Amino acid sequence: MIMKGKKGVILGVANNKSIAYGIAKACAEQGAEIAFTYLNDSLKKRVEPIASEFGSADYVYPCDVSKPEEIKALKESIEKDMGQIDFIVHSIAFAPKEGLSGRFMDVSKEAFDIAMDISVYSLIEVTRELKPLLSDKSSVLTLSYYGGVKYIPNYNLMGVAKAALEMTTKYLAEDLGQDGIRVNAISAGPIKTLAAAGIGDFRFMLKWNEAHSPLKKNVTTDEVGNSGMYLLSDLSSAVTGEIHYVDCGYNIMGMPAVEFDEKGKPSIAWNGTDK
Ligand code: 0WD
């Protein structure tokens, strides 16, 4: 039981397809005690049964990270119900639809501010507000995507947010290292979740990643969950500020591996549609 005796809070479970659900499952299986948050009342109905599944029916709290008072209230509730905690999972992102397709330069300042607030600043704010509860061997984990490092079609505004999130991870890691708090990110391969449904041509992204990753498959929430559990556990006690790829190796590819037939024709059409 790698997580026995560890307590933590997971923000960003929307349903049982969420990446945060996979992380919760892996941590609960290894003995962790987990608090869950929900964004609004309609998601509360989905999160409550999930919390019960992991023995956490008494630890379910509202938290819309765009509302500072809800983050403060979360700290008070966790302190009262659980006391000290050892980990935080930030599995939250949002960008208005206009930022996830079309021409990047047309993005509005309003959409930009919302995406940066919910997808980036919230990591800083949640960590700062919950810090008084964190033990001196604790771990904070957030979720990123390769679109924050390289151009990915339609990822647009969220790519810029993920770039900022990855640097936020590193600056927080340095700042909090003196307090025994580690901060890491997992850069996950594409997974069909609610959030992913908002990204244009997402099904094509899945096909492309499956065809061109070294492992020739897409990653599952269970696989991200297991890697997340490692980063939250003492197994990774010397790891901080890391952007850890859990993407079936896709990020190492500089060019798709192509086979040629006897006429010299590549096995993959350049638009990728024959795979
Ligand atoms: O392919 C993917 N699905 C990948 C996702 C690949 C790599 C990274 N990620 C990231 C996402 O960008 C995000 O940071 O993983 C994280 C979790 O995303 P997910 O598991 O793919 O998506 P989902 O199950 O929808 O959970 C994200 C949740 C929201 O769900 P909805 O669908 O309602 O937007 O983030 C939460 C909400 O529950 N959320 C908020 N929570 C608190 N306050 C807020 C908010 N203001 N906005 C969204």
Side-chain angles (χ1 to χ4, degrees):
M1 288 288 220
I2 293 162
M3 297 293 280
K4 186 125 193 83
K6 295 266 189 201
K7 290 187 276 185
V9 58
I10 299 188
L11 296 90
V13 174
N15 57 32
N16 61 9
K17 305 261 187 298
S18 297
I19 291 175
Y21 176 89
I23 296 172
K25 186 167 162 238
C27 290
E29 279 170 3
Q30 292 299 326
E33 215 175 324
I34 305 164
F36 291 87
T37 65
Y38 56 87
L39 168 60
N40 53 35
D41 282 344
S42 64
L43 284 176
K44 181 181 181 189
K45 292 185 211 97
R46 297 220 200 110
V47 175
E48 277 176 342
I50 289 171
S52 300
E53 186 185 330
F54 299 122
S56 299
D58 295 336
Y59 307 133
V60 186
Y61 310 103
C63 188
D64 177 340
V65 294
S66 67
K67 297 179 179 153
E69 67 278 11
E70 292 199 8
I71 300 176
K72 284 191 176 9
L74 176 67
K75 185 248 172 188
E76 297 302 323
S77 303
I78 293 178
E79 185 166 28
K80 182 161 74 65
D81 298 344
M82 300 177 95
Q84 195 176 59
I85 58 172
D86 309 284
F87 65 90
I88 301 171
V89 177
H90 172 277
S91 186
I92 288 171
F94 178 77
K97 207 157 178 46
E98 66 165 275
L100 297 172
S101 60
R103 295 199 60 170
F104 175 68
M105 72 168 179
D106 290 336
V107 70
S108 67
K109 178 165 164 40
E110 192 195 358
F112 189 93
D113 288 349
I114 291 172
M116 295 300 273
D117 181 37
I118 295 177
S119 314
V120 186
Y121 187 70
S122 64
L123 175 65
I124 302 172
E125 196 168 7
V126 166
T127 304
R128 186 179 60 236
E129 293 301 327
L130 298 188
K131 184 173 173 291
L133 307 184
L134 287 173
S135 69
D136 59 6
K137 261 169 77 179
S138 56
S139 175
V140 177
L141 176 67
T142 189
L143 271 298
S144 190
Y145 177 59
Y146 192 50
V149 176
K150 299 276 174 161
Y151 169 82
I152 300 282
N154 295 313
Y155 205 60
N156 294 16
L157 177 54
M158 193 50 79
V160 174
K162 291 304 189 194
L165 182 71
E166 293 190 5
M167 280 318 292
T168 297
T169 301
K170 294 179 190 186
Y171 276 88
L172 278 177
E174 199 291 326
D175 193 13
L176 296 172
Q178 60 192 307
D179 304 309
I181 301 166
R182 298 182 293 111
V183 186
N184 291 289
I186 282 181
S187 182
I191 301 178
K192 202 168 169 236
T193 62
L194 266 185
I199 298 161
D201 294 331
F202 188 75
R203 282 177 54 214
F204 180 74
M205 267 167 88
L206 282 174
K207 282 190 158 193
W208 182 267
N209 277 264
E210 183 182 345
H212 300 310
S213 64
L215 296 180
K216 297 286 176 276
K217 62 170 199 159
N218 279 309
V219 69
T220 65
T221 48
D222 280 352
E223 288 170 323
V224 178
N226 288 335
S227 299
M229 189 275 293
Y230 152 77
L231 286 170
L232 297 171
S233 78
D234 293 341
L235 290 178
S236 59
S237 56
V239 180
T240 195
E242 196 67 26
I243 313 300
H244 180 58
Y245 283 93
V246 183
D247 65 346
C248 301
Y250 180 81
N251 74 93
I252 68 158
M253 303 298 288
M255 191 176 167
V258 185
E259 285 171 21
F260 295 90
D261 66 15
E262 63 284 357
K263 289 184 184 137
K265 187 174 173 290
S267 62
I268 302 161
W270 295 116
N271 65 9
T273 49
D274 68 345
K275 277 257 172 174

Coordinates of all heavy atoms in Angstrom, one line a residue, residues 129-159:
E129 N -3.3 28.8 -1.0 CA -4.3 28.7 0.0 C -4.3 27.5 0.9 O -4.5 27.5 2.0 CB -5.7 28.9 -0.6 CG -5.9 30.3 -1.2 CD -5.8 31.4 -0.2 OE1 -6.1 31.3 1.0 OE2 -5.3 32.5 -0.6
L130 N -3.9 26.3 0.2 CA -3.9 25.1 0.9 C -2.6 24.8 1.6 O -2.4 23.8 2.4 CB -4.3 23.9 0.0 CG -5.7 23.9 -0.6 CD1 -6.0 22.6 -1.3 CD2 -6.8 24.1 0.4
K131 N -1.6 25.6 1.3 CA -0.2 25.3 1.8 C -0.2 25.2 3.3 O 0.6 24.3 3.8 CB 0.7 26.5 1.4 CG 2.2 26.2 1.8 CD 3.1 27.2 1.2 CE 4.5 27.0 1.8 NZ 4.6 27.4 3.2
P132 N -0.9 25.9 4.1 CA -0.8 25.7 5.6 C -1.2 24.3 6.0 O -0.9 23.9 7.1 CB -1.8 26.7 6.1 CG -2.0 27.8 5.1 CD -1.8 27.1 3.8
L133 N -2.0 23.6 5.1 CA -2.4 22.2 5.5 C -1.4 21.2 5.0 O -1.5 20.0 5.3 CB -3.8 21.9 4.8 CG -4.9 22.9 5.1 CD1 -6.2 22.4 4.5 CD2 -5.1 23.1 6.6
L134 N -0.5 21.6 4.1 CA 0.4 20.6 3.5 C 1.5 20.1 4.4 O 2.2 20.9 5.1 CB 1.0 21.1 2.2 CG 0.1 21.3 1.0 CD1 0.8 22.0 -0.1 CD2 -0.4 19.9 0.5
S135 N 1.7 18.8 4.5 CA 2.8 18.3 5.3 C 4.1 18.6 4.7 O 4.2 19.1 3.6 CB 2.6 16.7 5.4 OG 2.9 16.1 4.2
D136 N 5.2 18.3 5.4 CA 6.5 18.7 4.9 C 7.1 17.6 4.0 O 8.3 17.6 3.7 CB 7.5 19.0 6.0 CG 7.7 17.9 7.0 OD1 7.2 16.8 6.8 OD2 8.4 18.1 8.0
K137 N 6.2 16.6 3.6 CA 6.6 15.6 2.6 C 5.5 15.5 1.6 O 4.8 14.5 1.5 CB 6.9 14.3 3.2 CG 8.4 14.0 3.5 CD 8.6 12.8 4.3 CE 8.4 11.5 3.6 NZ 8.6 10.3 4.5
S138 N 5.1 16.6 1.0 CA 3.9 16.6 0.2 C 4.2 16.9 -1.3 O 5.3 17.2 -1.6 CB 2.8 17.6 0.8 OG 3.4 18.9 0.8
S139 N 3.1 16.6 -2.1 CA 3.3 16.6 -3.5 C 2.1 17.3 -4.2 O 0.9 17.0 -3.8 CB 3.5 15.2 -4.0 OG 3.5 15.1 -5.4
V140 N 2.4 18.2 -5.1 CA 1.3 18.8 -5.9 C 1.5 18.4 -7.3 O 2.6 18.3 -7.9 CB 1.4 20.4 -5.8 CG1 0.4 21.1 -6.7 CG2 1.3 20.8 -4.3
L141 N 0.3 18.0 -8.0 CA 0.4 17.5 -9.4 C -0.6 18.3 -10.2 O -1.7 18.4 -9.8 CB 0.1 16.0 -9.4 CG 0.0 15.3 -10.7 CD1 1.4 15.3 -11.4 CD2 -0.5 13.9 -10.6
T142 N -0.2 18.7 -11.4 CA -1.1 19.3 -12.4 C -1.0 18.5 -13.7 O -0.1 17.7 -13.9 CB -0.8 20.8 -12.6 OG1 -1.9 21.3 -13.3 CG2 0.5 21.1 -13.2
L143 N -1.9 18.8 -14.6 CA -2.0 18.1 -15.9 C -1.7 19.0 -17.1 O -2.4 20.1 -17.2 CB -3.4 17.5 -16.0 CG -3.6 16.1 -15.5 CD1 -2.7 15.0 -16.1 CD2 -3.5 16.0 -14.0
S144 N -0.8 18.6 -17.9 CA -0.5 19.4 -19.1 C -0.7 18.6 -20.3 O -1.1 17.5 -20.3 CB 0.9 20.0 -19.0 OG 1.1 21.0 -20.0
Y145 N -0.4 19.3 -21.5 CA -0.4 18.6 -22.8 C 0.6 19.1 -23.7 O 1.1 20.3 -23.6 CB -1.8 18.8 -23.4 CG -2.0 18.1 -24.7 CD1 -1.8 16.8 -24.9 CD2 -2.3 18.9 -25.9 CE1 -1.8 16.2 -26.2 CE2 -2.4 18.3 -27.1 CZ -2.1 17.0 -27.3 OH -2.2 16.4 -28.5
Y146 N 1.1 18.3 -24.6 CA 2.2 18.6 -25.6 C 1.9 19.9 -26.4 O 2.8 20.6 -26.8 CB 2.3 17.4 -26.5 CG 3.5 17.4 -27.4 CD1 4.8 17.6 -26.8 CD2 3.4 17.2 -28.7 CE1 5.9 17.6 -27.6 CE2 4.5 17.1 -29.5 CZ 5.8 17.3 -29.0 OH 6.9 17.3 -29.8
G147 N 0.6 20.3 -26.5 CA 0.3 21.5 -27.2 C 0.8 22.7 -26.5 O 0.7 23.8 -27.1
G148 N 1.4 22.6 -25.3 CA 2.0 23.7 -24.6 C 3.5 23.8 -25.0 O 4.2 24.8 -24.6
V149 N 4.0 22.9 -25.8 CA 5.4 22.9 -26.2 C 5.5 23.1 -27.7 O 6.4 23.8 -28.1 CB 6.0 21.5 -25.7 CG1 7.5 21.4 -26.2 CG2 5.9 21.4 -24.2
K150 N 4.7 22.4 -28.4 CA 4.7 22.5 -29.9 C 3.3 22.8 -30.4 O 2.3 22.5 -29.7 CB 5.1 21.1 -30.5 CG 6.5 20.7 -30.1 CD 7.6 21.3 -31.0 CE 8.9 20.9 -30.4 NZ 10.0 21.0 -31.3
Y151 N 3.2 23.4 -31.6 CA 1.9 23.7 -32.2 C 1.1 22.4 -32.4 O 1.6 21.4 -33.0 CB 2.1 24.4 -33.6 CG 0.9 24.4 -34.3 CD1 -0.1 25.4 -34.1 CD2 0.6 23.5 -35.3 CE1 -1.2 25.5 -34.8 CE2 -0.6 23.5 -36.0 CZ -1.5 24.6 -35.8 OH -2.7 24.6 -36.4
I152 N -0.1 22.4 -32.0 CA -1.1 21.3 -32.3 C -2.3 22.0 -32.8 O -2.9 22.9 -32.2 CB -1.5 20.5 -31.0 CG1 -0.2 19.9 -30.3 CG2 -2.6 19.5 -31.2 CD1 0.3 18.6 -30.9
P153 N -2.8 21.5 -34.0 CA -4.0 22.1 -34.6 C -5.1 22.3 -33.6 O -5.5 21.3 -32.9 CB -4.4 21.2 -35.8 CG -3.1 20.5 -36.1 CD -2.3 20.4 -34.8
N154 N -5.8 23.4 -33.6 CA -7.0 23.7 -32.8 C -6.7 23.9 -31.3 O -7.6 24.4 -30.6 CB -8.1 22.7 -33.0 CG -8.6 22.7 -34.4 OD1 -8.9 23.7 -34.9 ND2 -8.7 21.5 -35.0
Y155 N -5.5 23.5 -30.8 CA -5.3 23.6 -29.4 C -5.1 25.0 -28.9 O -5.4 25.4 -27.8 CB -4.1 22.7 -29.0 CG -4.2 22.3 -27.5 CD1 -5.2 21.5 -27.0 CD2 -3.2 22.6 -26.6 CE1 -5.3 21.1 -25.7 CE2 -3.2 22.2 -25.3 CZ -4.3 21.5 -24.9 OH -4.3 21.1 -23.5
N156 N -4.7 25.8 -29.9 CA -4.6 27.3 -29.8 C -4.4 27.9 -28.4 O -3.4 27.8 -27.8 CB -5.9 27.9 -30.5 CG -6.0 27.6 -32.0 OD1 -5.3 26.7 -32.5 ND2 -6.8 28.3 -32.7
L157 N -5.5 28.5 -27.9 CA -5.4 29.2 -26.6 C -4.9 28.3 -25.5 O -4.1 28.7 -24.6 CB -6.7 29.9 -26.3 CG -6.8 30.6 -25.0 CD1 -5.7 31.7 -24.8 CD2 -8.2 31.3 -24.9
M158 N -5.4 27.1 -25.5 CA -5.0 26.1 -24.4 C -3.6 25.8 -24.5 O -2.9 25.5 -23.5 CB -5.9 24.9 -24.5 CG -5.9 24.0 -23.3 SD -6.1 24.9 -21.7 CE -7.9 25.1 -21.8
G159 N -3.0 25.8 -25.7 CA -1.5 25.6 -25.8 C -0.7 26.7 -25.1 O 0.2 26.4 -24.4

